[in-house]
Amino acid sequence: LGTDWSGRSVLVKTIMGAKVSLTVGLMANVIAVPLGTLLGAIAGYFGRRVDDVIVWLYTTLSSIPGIILLIAMKYAFQDVKVLGLDLTGIHGIYIALGVISWVGMCRLVRAEVMKIRELDYVTAARAVGVDERTILLRHVVPNVFHLAIIQFTLGFVGAVSAEVILSYLGIGVAVGTPSWGTMINSARMDLMVGRWWELTAAVGAMFVLVLALSLLGDRLRDALDPKLRNVG
């Protein structure tokens, strides 16, 4: 893949960029999936005022375009440190993506839990006096784990794409950190002088990773979703 304008290996930068993208995808979903699962289960099971508050919260977040909210949060994290972590750089991306990415998971889990809470075994547990929190944690939440696994995989795609966009705009990873977004940004002007390989490497690597993660998510959904097991 040659070298960039300063003589650095494009292959090494591409591999290091993959590490950054995978780390961002992992950490963002570690925050978003449990948060969305918990809030969705609580909203779907208890309903009423609790459900109204959680629905209002994720509806409000959904009304703001995701990329604008990400950019706003990244600027809000400038020069902010929490527990020794500098949120100006990549740690801020983890938190920003995690905070805005739980909405889809919350909606899925809420809808599923609203159906599960009316099933016979949940009604029987409630009839014999089992505590509501025990029913929720032992009998309801385990039946939505397949949604969490699927969403965790599919959430990688959005997180990787968002990190590349933010880094391309110059508000993502810290200066000097290899990233596909910074590679694309620095290679824009290289096209004018015929140096196409850095841009091609970054875009090609991103395409392969996103395609692989999308296929994996689809296969997991086919394998784990009870509604799709007997379809085909």
Side-chain angles (χ1 to χ4, degrees):
L1 296 177
T3 60
D4 62 7
W5 63 271
S6 62
R8 293 175 296 182
S9 171
V10 173
L11 177 60
V12 172
K13 291 175 65 176
T14 304
I15 295 173
M16 294 299 293
K19 177 183 176 182
V20 171
S21 294
L22 289 172
T23 304
V24 169
L26 175 64
M27 296 305 297
N29 283 280
V30 164
I31 298 172
V33 172
L35 180 61
T37 301
L38 178 63
L39 292 178
I42 292 173
Y45 185 78
F46 292 105
R48 298 183 180 180
R49 294 289 181 85
V50 176
D51 185 41
D52 291 341
V53 171
I54 294 176
V55 169
W56 173 84
L57 180 60
Y58 73 61
T59 302
T60 302
L61 284 176
S62 299
S63 66
I64 306 173
I67 189 62
I68 295 178
L69 185 58
L70 268 176
I71 293 173
M73 292 185 69
K74 277 295 297 176
Y75 277 117
F77 288 157
Q78 294 295 320
D79 301 321
V80 175
K81 291 186 177 181
V82 177
L83 299 176
L85 300 177
D86 186 3
L87 301 187
T88 303
I90 196 169
H91 296 98
I93 298 179
Y94 300 158
I95 297 176
L97 285 172
V99 167
I100 71 169
S101 301
W102 61 270
V103 173
M105 185 67 200
C106 183
R107 283 175 168 167
L108 288 173
V109 172
R110 174 179 173 270
E112 193 69 18
V113 169
M114 290 178 71
K115 293 184 292 184
I116 292 175
R117 72 180 182 182
E118 304 298 332
L119 296 180
D120 292 340
Y121 70 91
V122 176
T123 304
R126 193 180 296 118
V128 299
V130 179
D131 183 70
E132 295 286 358
R133 289 175 295 180
T134 303
I135 295 174
L136 179 64
L137 296 176
R138 183 176 297 178
H139 301 296
V140 176
V141 172
N143 285 285
V144 297
F145 272 164
H146 67 282
L147 295 176
I149 296 173
I150 295 167
Q151 189 66 25
F152 194 94
T153 305
L154 294 177
F156 260 82
V157 176
V160 169
S161 301
E163 183 274 323
V164 171
I165 293 172
L166 290 176
S167 297
Y168 174 78
L169 295 175
I171 56 175
V173 298
V175 177
T177 303
S179 169
W180 292 338
T182 56
M183 288 176 64
I184 294 172
N185 186 33
S186 62
R188 286 181 304 142
M189 303 305 296
D190 289 347
L191 293 177
M192 300 178 62
V193 294
R195 293 197 296 265
W196 49 267
W197 44 88
E198 183 174 6
L199 180 64
T200 302
V203 173
M206 181 181 173
F207 170 78
V208 171
L209 179 61
V210 169
L211 178 62
L213 291 172
S214 298
L215 292 175
L216 177 60
D218 289 340
R219 296 304 183 189
L220 285 174
R221 182 175 58 188
D222 294 342
L224 298 176
D225 193 339
K227 299 177 184 177
L228 300 177
R229 288 177 183 171
N230 298 322
V231 177

